[in-house]
Amino acid sequence: MPLLEPDPRSLRPAGRREPSPDRVPDRLAGGTPEPLRSELIALLGADKVYWKVSDLVRYASDASPYRFVPQVVVVAEDIDDVSTVLSYAHGRGREVVFRAAGTSLNGQAQGEDILVDVRRHWAGIEVLDDGLRARVLPGTTVVRANAALARHGRVLGPDPASAIACTIGGVVANNASGMTAGTTRNSYRTVSSLTFVLPGGTVVDTGDPGADEDLAHAEPRLCDSLLALKAEIEADAELTARIRAKYEIKNTNGYRLDAFLDGATPVEILRGLMVGSEGTFGFISEVVFDTLPLDRLVSTALLFFPSLPAAAAAVPLFNEAGAIAVELMDGNTLRASVSVKGVPADWAGLPRDTTALLVEFRAPDEAAQEAYERAATEVMAGLELVTPVASATNELTRDARTIAGYWKARKAFVTAVGGSRPSGTTLITEDFAVPPSSLSEACAALLELQARHGFDAAVAGHAAHGNLHFLLAFDASKPSDVERYAAFMDEFCRLTVERFDGSLKAEHATGRNIAPFLELEWGPKATELMWRTKQVIDPDGVLAPRIVLDRDPQAHLRGLKTIPKVEPIADPCIECGFCEPTCPSRDLTTTPRQRIVLLRELMRQPYGSAVESGLLDAYGHDAVDTCAGDSTCALDCPVGIDTGALMREFRHRRHSPREERVAALAARNFKAVEASARLAVAAADKVGDRLLERVTGLARRAVRPDLVPQWLPQIPGAARATLPRTERVGAVAVYYPACVNRIFGEPEGFRGPSLPQALVAVSERAGRPVWIPDDVSGTCCATIWHSKGYVEGNAVMANRIVEAAWGWTAGGRLPLVVDASSCTLGIGHEVVPYLTDGNRELHRELKVVDSVVWAAQELLPRLTILRTARSAVLHPTCSMRHLGDEAELLAVASACAEEVVVPDDAGCCGFAGDRGMLHPELTASATAREAAEVCSRPYEAHLSANRMCEVGLERGTGRRYYSVILELERATRPGPAYLRRS
């Protein structure tokens, strides 16, 4: 064991705890039981079988209110792995559930036996026919697929609100739709073909002309049975009419019985049945979509009505006018949403009955946009609109920022209610559909029902399609709360079916909480046909039992998860998984959601239990050490949880008093530390990479990997010992070279000025000279201490840099230009909590500007571009995403290159200062997909805006990255027509 290994018990959550009845039992403390573990490892290999108790716990939760602990998790790499697992399950009488993003809202991604992860190795998109079709792998997010299609002016039909996180496999398996898809743009209507693996292992490609012949040869009984069911349904005119009627509105409850009517052959029937089957019929390994035009011209209005009936009456008028989306928000929703940043504060004073419609039109060209706007204006002229608060304008707008604000307000429903719900409560997101003509009546009935059962009364939804959403929060650890939820569900389901003939699930799929009510909606004949269909396709019941079909009337009350209080910053987590795609450790150890899920299980356990010990032993490395701490998770989290900040706090808790003192001492003496670091880097150039890698590797094993960095060959040489000479007189800004750029130089073989020289030069050329203070040495943005959780050292440096900046900028009269995006974020924002009251006042007067923003706004308009690169690939850093500076980075790069590409898979590189040296595997994992894109073709320039991120990208891609400021200097430098880069 390393000498300074921290005590795992330091990560034990504080606070009072009582063992929970849904805690993981002690029998799973050792992880996957034998012989299941060894048999699967023998079949698949150890790297594909996750068996530790921490693995089982982190995969036990999804975005639903349910929690089921798997016996084992398999990470499948290809169809052979899937077939192997299915064959094993058949032979051993076991059950299999497939899981991709885990954003399903009704427990579809959970299993109690073998859980198969089909996200990690299943991402990719191939654009076909210039975008008219797209072949997509099931682990690809909707956002990622649409990014590739956008270059061709196309888009997928389904547009779920979880598009940043949900994956294509889940979208198709649940027939998810969204705000614009309705009944015509969903997966059932836009899937061209599917490739899937049936429970028996047969692989079917419905796009193959010989698919029916092959299937008849492989599974004749299945083909005969499907055709017999088709004939039976078609012979029953009443049933046929009922099936057609059920899909006139949005409906994802039960199996798509209309597949028997729409498909002429067994393969065609299966293609339809697989959509919305929730993983119970097979594994979808590939989807070919017919795409839709991406209409880029948008006109939107947020309209306020005096009452819900008045708003509902306007919905069909906007549908007829061609609106692609009509979203409804009742008064309670509007008022609750003011807790979300960006939502107008005056909504808090809206009258009780006020209701809003968010109406959007999308057009391919100016003429069509004007026609839509004329039609919308004509409708609006005849409406009873109100302006109860100043922010209510009731006007159509084309302004992208305003439109984004409207949609943020619409989506704030979940954020507001989910984030403000009492700690310890489970959140359930429900949706249903009624005929649009019944919209107003259904809303009123739902609000009354919520209030009567003691739930917050609020409703929002896709009004254009009669699809409404509401949230329920209750404490699953309290029997009385569970009884209240059960009573509500019983009455809600009867109300929807018996009064409105509606769909109990419009777009979230049946799942565990509606399975007991399936027959209530469909009736005994149709429901029995669904059971028979399941028996025909999966006769041994291997796949996802109890997720769509369950005869237990209390099934929706089984497995409800408790939500123990863990940390105030994490308690609002609704376990939705939106944070996961952006997390750099998602394919290595854990994700933000999983970090919180593991903490909650610790709080369910009694002190000293075997399960608690196993979880604590793994948590240090899997959660704390391999978190990059970039906090991009907070940007995508609907309730704003910064799991990176929580992990930094845990790092602090693990520090001994001696470690904190040493860190503070380093901050107080940073001038000497900085000089020593530069000398050490210079000396390393003479020693050689191989020896340094060996020496640091030995030191890491002896001391602790999280304290001793691993030497990497990509580490650049030392920076110049002196900074460029500048003059204070006449300077229009203060230039602060970050310590990383005072220690490390440019990439090996780079020809040209240093970054400080380049920024000084381009500023001078633009007539906007900058001044570098003589005493910047010994100062830092404090991120070094902040990222590691050294509180005292952080405070020392945070206050030092603010006091120095105040003096340099003449009390904030000059902007402070910083040449590393993470340092810009650090000085501009992250130092604030550690400042004294006096220095906080000084900080408010500072204007901290990133060098890329400085270049885009102050220099580019005044510079002449003399030469450009043929192509450049660009890496926006996560700090720039926090700062909102990505557009400026693209602007500078676009001025310097004829073609600029931002990889679709660009994300946090995981280097995070020196974390990529402490855990090189983090950067390797974080950059893998981006690296594949970058290396798929040559680029003349590889650009970014942070030195250590550039090192991480060079390590991940093998390509030499450097600052976009260096490229700008080259592009504007007087001299020969072409200046060599190396």
Side-chain angles (χ1 to χ4, degrees):
M1 178 181 289
L3 294 175
L4 300 179
E5 190 71 19
D7 184 350
R9 290 174 297 180
S10 63
L11 297 175
R12 177 181 280 160
R16 181 174 175 270
R17 73 167 88 166
E18 295 180 3
S20 175
D22 66 337
R23 68 184 182 274
V24 174
D26 284 343
R27 61 180 171 80
L28 285 179
T32 300
E34 294 289 3
L36 178 61
R37 181 201 308 180
S38 57
E39 288 177 347
L40 285 175
I41 289 174
L43 288 170
L44 299 164
D47 59 327
K48 298 178 184 178
V49 179
Y50 287 2
W51 57 268
K52 294 188 302 182
V53 65
S54 59
D55 297 325
L56 307 185
V57 169
R58 64 191 176 97
Y59 275 94
S61 293
D62 62 7
S64 78
Y66 298 98
R67 179 172 175 270
F68 293 97
V69 182
Q71 296 293 297
V72 68
V73 177
V74 171
V75 181
E77 288 189 9
D78 50 35
I79 283 183
D80 287 344
D81 287 345
V82 172
S83 296
T84 297
V85 171
L86 290 175
S87 176
Y88 175 83
H90 272 287
R92 299 292 191 279
R94 307 202 73 106
E95 301 169 354
V96 176
V97 170
F98 298 108
R99 174 186 176 122
T103 56
S104 298
L105 295 168
N106 298 305
Q108 297 98 313
Q110 295 181 26
E112 299 173 78
D113 196 0
I114 302 174
L115 188 69
V116 183
D117 182 324
V118 291
R119 176 192 61 84
R120 182 168 307 177
H121 299 292
W122 298 84
I125 174 172
E126 179 187 2
V127 178
L128 307 171
D129 304 331
D130 195 28
L132 294 178
R133 296 186 305 140
R135 188 187 312 279
V136 194
L137 296 182
T140 310
T141 64
V142 174
V143 159
R144 174 64 178 84
N146 280 335
L149 287 168
R151 290 191 285 272
H152 301 267
R154 308 293 292 183
V155 67
L156 295 179
D159 66 334
S162 57
I164 62 168
C166 69
T167 53
I168 292 300
V171 169
V172 175
N174 291 296
N175 197 22
S177 49
M179 299 182 183
T180 66
T183 59
T184 60
R185 296 164 59 108
N186 60 22
S187 294
Y188 188 80
R189 300 300 178 192
T190 61
V191 164
S192 173
S193 67
L194 295 173
T195 301
F196 51 85
V197 185
L198 290 169
T202 301
V203 179
V204 180
D205 176 1
T206 68
D208 184 344
D212 272 299
E213 183 179 346
D214 293 342
L215 184 62
H217 178 74
E219 303 212 23
R221 185 197 62 81
L222 171 62
C223 293
D224 291 343
S225 298
L226 289 174
L227 291 174
L229 286 170
K230 173 181 172 63
E232 181 181 339
I233 293 171
E234 290 178 332
D236 189 329
E238 183 180 358
L239 177 60
T240 298
R242 179 60 178 161
I243 291 170
R244 290 300 189 194
K246 287 298 293 177
Y247 293 110
E248 289 178 0
I249 61 174
K250 292 174 72 171
N251 191 335
T252 59
N253 192 18
Y255 295 130
R256 291 285 311 212
L257 292 180
D258 56 345
F260 288 103
L261 304 176
D262 297 332
T265 70
V267 166
E268 290 177 2
I269 294 169
L270 281 173
R271 188 216 67 84
L273 285 171
M274 291 297 295
V275 178
S277 63
E278 304 176 51
T280 63
F281 288 162
F283 167 61
I284 299 171
S285 63
E286 188 177 273
V287 185
V288 177
F289 281 98
D290 291 324
T291 65
L292 300 170
L294 174 58
D295 295 332
R296 300 180 187 273
L297 301 183
V298 180
S299 303
T300 308
L302 184 61
L303 307 175
F304 289 81
F305 295 81
S307 66
L308 206 156
V315 173
L317 302 178
F318 285 114
N319 285 343
E320 292 170 11
I324 193 169
V326 184
E327 297 292 304
L328 179 143
M329 295 170 277
D330 82 318
N332 291 336
T333 299
L334 294 167
R335 287 186 293 275
S337 297
V338 299
S339 62
V340 178
K341 183 179 179 181
V343 174
D346 60 6
W347 285 12
L350 285 169
R352 178 179 179 276
D353 293 331
T354 302
T355 304
L357 292 181
L358 174 57
V359 183
E360 184 159 290
F361 299 83
R362 298 178 191 168
D365 53 49
E366 184 75 20
Q369 184 175 33
E370 290 176 355
Y372 279 138
E373 289 177 345
R374 285 194 298 271
T377 301
E378 187 176 328
V379 170
M380 290 161 59
L383 298 177
E384 184 187 358
L385 299 177
V386 295
T387 54
V389 292
S391 65
T393 62
N394 294 324
E395 295 176 351
L396 272 171
T397 181
R398 297 183 178 186
D399 181 69
R401 187 182 296 272
T402 302
I403 292 171
Y406 288 164
W407 281 106
K408 183 172 185 178
R410 164 62 183 92
K411 294 176 182 179
F413 179 41
V414 174
T415 306
V417 179
S420 62
R421 76 189 195 282
S423 293
T425 57
T426 297
L427 185 72
I428 296 181
T429 305
E430 292 286 359
D431 91 302
F432 68 109
V434 298
S437 59
S438 300
L439 182 68
S440 175
E441 185 184 355
C443 285
L446 173 63
L447 293 171
E448 187 278 330
L449 187 65
Q450 288 174 304
R452 183 154 43 82
H453 286 276
F455 293 106
D456 290 336
V459 64
H462 316 318
H465 313 293
N467 179 193
L468 299 172
H469 295 251
F470 61 95
L471 304 174
L472 304 175
F474 66 95
D475 189 340
S477 68
K478 296 180 178 178
S480 59
D481 258 24
V482 174
E483 290 172 8
R484 180 165 60 98
Y485 165 66
F488 174 89
M489 286 300 295
D490 286 344
E491 193 168 349
F492 160 73
C493 290
R494 289 197 305 274
L495 171 76
T496 302
V497 172
E498 296 170 0
R499 183 169 168 182
F500 299 109
D501 193 21
S503 308
L504 291 175
K505 282 295 175 186
E507 58 182 3
H508 295 169
T510 312
R512 298 177 182 273
N513 64 330
I514 293 298
F517 303 99
L518 182 64
E519 186 171 333
L520 173 66
E521 176 178 339
W522 277 96
K525 182 184 295 185
T527 303
E528 196 57 36
L529 277 168
M530 294 181 189
W531 277 95
R532 289 167 59 193
T533 302
K534 170 68 170 174
Q535 177 64 27
V536 163
I537 298 174
D538 183 19
D540 295 326
V542 168
L543 288 180
R546 297 175 295 281
I547 286 178
V548 176
L549 303 173
D550 198 322
R551 298 193 192 276
D552 178 4
Q554 301 296 307
H556 60 305
L557 306 180
R558 175 176 170 265
L560 289 169
K561 65 185 171 190
T562 60
I563 304 289
K565 298 178 183 179
V566 285
E567 300 281 343
I569 192 174
D571 285 341
C573 177
I574 56 179
E575 299 182 6
C576 65
F578 284 23
C579 57
E580 294 192 336
T582 194
C583 178
S585 62
R586 66 187 181 278
D587 292 335
L588 179 67
T589 50
T590 58
T591 66
R593 168 169 63 178
Q594 291 174 340
R595 289 175 169 97
I596 294 172
V597 163
L598 288 164
L599 288 176
R600 285 173 170 168
E601 180 56 35
L602 283 168
M603 289 302 289
R604 294 186 185 100
Q605 293 290 324
Y607 284 106
S609 75
V611 170
E612 183 201 51
S613 297
L615 295 179
L616 287 173
D617 286 343
Y619 201 82
H621 174 268
D622 291 355
V624 181
D625 293 342
T626 52
C627 173
D630 67 323
S631 294
T632 53
C633 51
L635 299 177
D636 289 338
C637 173
V639 292
I641 295 170
D642 187 347
T643 312
L646 180 59
M647 295 303 107
R648 293 193 294 270
E649 168 61 21
F650 285 166
R651 288 170 190 166
H652 170 65
R653 293 181 192 178
R654 292 197 306 181
H655 295 155
S656 67
R658 181 175 179 275
E659 288 175 320
E660 285 285 339
R661 288 195 300 270
V662 170
L665 183 64
R668 294 188 180 96
N669 298 278
F670 190 65
K671 188 171 185 178
V673 171
E674 177 187 332
S676 300
R678 188 166 50 248
L679 288 172
V681 172
D685 276 347
K686 298 178 174 61
V687 173
D689 292 331
R690 184 171 297 179
L691 179 59
L692 285 169
E693 287 181 83
R694 184 176 179 183
V695 170
T696 55
L698 290 171
R700 284 160 59 81
R701 286 192 291 273
V703 180
R704 177 175 146 207
D706 209 50
L707 287 179
V708 180
Q710 173 72 52
W711 179 263
L712 304 176
Q714 293 78 20
I715 298 297
R720 293 170 172 84
T722 58
L723 293 167
R725 292 183 61 83
T726 55
E727 298 294 332
R728 172 69 181 84
V729 177
V732 298
V734 176
Y735 170 27
Y736 179 69
C739 67
V740 67
N741 294 320
R742 305 194 305 261
I743 295 172
F744 296 106
E746 277 38 76
E748 183 179 354
F750 180 86
R751 292 188 179 186
S754 67
L755 178 57
Q757 289 173 330
L759 188 56
V760 169
V762 291
S763 297
E764 188 69 35
R765 281 174 209 155
R768 306 292 285 168
V770 295
W771 170 61
I772 301 176
D774 296 333
D775 57 345
V776 295
S777 178
T779 62
C780 172
C781 65
T783 299
I784 295 172
W785 294 268
H786 176 72
S787 66
K788 292 175 168 45
Y790 289 113
V791 173
E792 186 179 351
N794 194 359
V796 168
M797 190 55 73
N799 284 281
R800 180 186 298 173
I801 186 60
V802 168
E803 291 166 3
W806 173 259
W808 296 333
T809 62
R813 284 191 287 273
L814 293 177
L816 183 73
V817 178
V818 185
D819 64 3
S821 57
S822 59
C823 302
T824 309
L825 180 66
I827 298 173
H829 301 277
E830 292 176 344
V831 299
V832 174
Y834 303 92
L835 299 176
T836 63
D837 291 342
N839 283 340
R840 197 170 286 122
E841 291 296 321
L842 300 185
H843 185 272
R844 289 193 184 99
E845 302 299 322
L846 295 178
K847 183 181 180 183
V848 183
V849 180
D850 190 79
S851 58
V852 173
V853 176
W854 172 254
Q857 296 179 353
E858 296 293 330
L859 307 186
L860 268 184
R862 299 175 172 87
L863 289 170
T864 300
I865 302 298
L866 301 175
R867 61 194 64 81
T868 56
R870 289 182 294 275
S871 61
V873 64
L874 193 60
H875 176 78
T877 69
C878 46
S879 297
M880 302 198 84
R881 189 176 171 207
H882 281 285
L883 294 164
D885 294 345
E886 293 165 293
E888 286 80 2
L889 177 66
L890 182 60
V892 177
S894 298
C896 300
E898 297 168 17
E899 177 196 16
V900 177
V901 174
V902 178
D904 292 333
D905 284 315
C908 176
C909 67
F911 210 83
D914 66 350
R915 190 128 308 254
M917 299 167 70
L918 297 171
H919 298 281
E921 69 278 10
L922 176 59
T923 293
S925 179
T927 58
R929 294 184 185 181
E930 182 175 358
E933 278 191 79
V934 171
C935 296
S936 66
R937 54 161 289 190
Y939 294 95
E940 192 172 348
H942 300 75
L943 308 175
S944 191
N946 188 291
R947 193 69 198 94
M948 300 318 289
C949 294
E950 291 153 16
V951 172
L953 266 294
E954 180 177 346
R955 181 164 178 81
T957 65
R959 307 289 179 86
R960 189 183 67 190
Y961 277 76
Y962 52 91
S963 172
V964 71
I965 299 297
L966 293 172
E967 190 65 18
L968 179 64
E969 191 281 327
R970 190 196 75 86
T972 59
R973 188 193 315 164
Y978 179 77
L979 296 173
R980 292 179 60 201
R981 234 177 243 98
S982 60

